[in-house]
Amino acid sequence: MKQLPFMGVICSVTLYIVYRTTNYQYYETQMETKLHPFDSVEDNELPSGKLKDLPRGIMHTRSDLELRPQWRKSLRSAVKVNTNKNLLAMPVGIKQKEHVDDVVKKFRTENFTIVLFHYDGKVDGWWDLDWCDKAIHIVAHNQTKWWFAKRFLHPDIVSTYDYIFLWDEDLGVEHFNPGRYLEIVKSEGLEISQPALDPNSTEIHHRITIRSRMKKFHRRVYELRGKTRCSNISEGPPCSGFVEGMAPVFSRAAWRCAWHLIQNDLVHGWGMDMKLGYCAQGDRTKNVGVIDREYIVHKGIQTLGGTGELTKKTKKKRGTSSGSSGLDTRAEIRRQSTWELKIFKERWNQAVTQDKDWIDPFPRQQRRRKHKRQSKFVDLYD
């Protein structure tokens, strides 16, 4: 009888430990589901729909871009678990081989999956690089980055990757580290981002993309000169909630949205950067940012439709044409891009008008600040 109180204490402690362990496991499961929603979905949990002729247990609803061996030394050997959680995809031409090599080497050290879109068809010229056989090579002559992305980076295919880097080929990465970059992105909760541009870059189109030497990252810019003015009351692109199309980085959820924004027939992607904030999974002024601590150099070498050797500014100075036949291909591409921008804007406006259930999460607001005495000479970045 004297042992009964002692046994009661033991039982109470055991029950408490079981309760806390179960509660902790539930919490961990919930957090994992939020961080990696696609990893927690079982194939046979998804609706079969028109696939009712197949037994649910045999259907694999997801894929990835990982290379698989055709055979193994032992038929019973375990399948190697994929450790690459991020993806780098780039359009490339053989004339930019050296620049691409520098970029890929940086990302290979951080266990990225590499996908190269060859727009010139010259794949054989890459095999002397030690990483070449470990990359995915996709070939289509004279196609753009957005054409490739729409067809080969479907969200269901890349759903195993946490972040998708969709970069141009003419970027210098001497001051860029992918691992440290993603540490900042994750700590600040950025769904869409880009590395800042070195002020000495050949081509800079938007003030917000320029690197601030004194900051780790910034979400907006103040500019009171020029055609586009960004003040305290400015909301939205290109003053805040904006990244440019040359080097965007998307979270898994943001890419699922952005992929649907890419127009199948508008291959140059003009106008998309102004709407990417709608894919920021919330407030674009908070979830979109430019990383200053890890920055790149935009070299401005336009290979697709050009020579791949001279920048646009250099061509203008020398008065040379991009095409050997007398056709200025760069001018033609710009003309096509401008037309596509017009079509994209028309489609957006039409879609907004026709979708009566859609509510713009970022309506234009004409807000007046109570305190107008703030100096115009404020920090350019925030």
Side-chain angles (χ1 to χ4, degrees), residues 268-288:
H268 292 288
W270 278 31
M272 272 189 54
D273 50 5
M274 293 293 178
K275 303 301 182 184
L276 285 177
Y278 285 90
C279 294
Q281 310 302 297
D283 189 347
R284 63 185 176 187
T285 63
K286 296 180 180 179
N287 297 346
V288 180

Side-chain angles (χ1 to χ4, degrees), residues 247-261:
V249 179
F250 302 92
S251 69
R252 182 194 294 114
W255 176 247
R256 177 166 290 275
C257 171
W259 183 89
H260 286 84
L261 184 63

Side-chain angles (χ1 to χ4, degrees), residues 194 197 203-206 209 242-248 273 276:
Q194 76 160 79
L197 300 183
E203 289 187 359
I204 296 178
H205 304 118
H206 299 282
T209 63
F242 177 84
V243 299
E244 199 169 0
M246 73 179 69
D273 50 5
L276 285 177

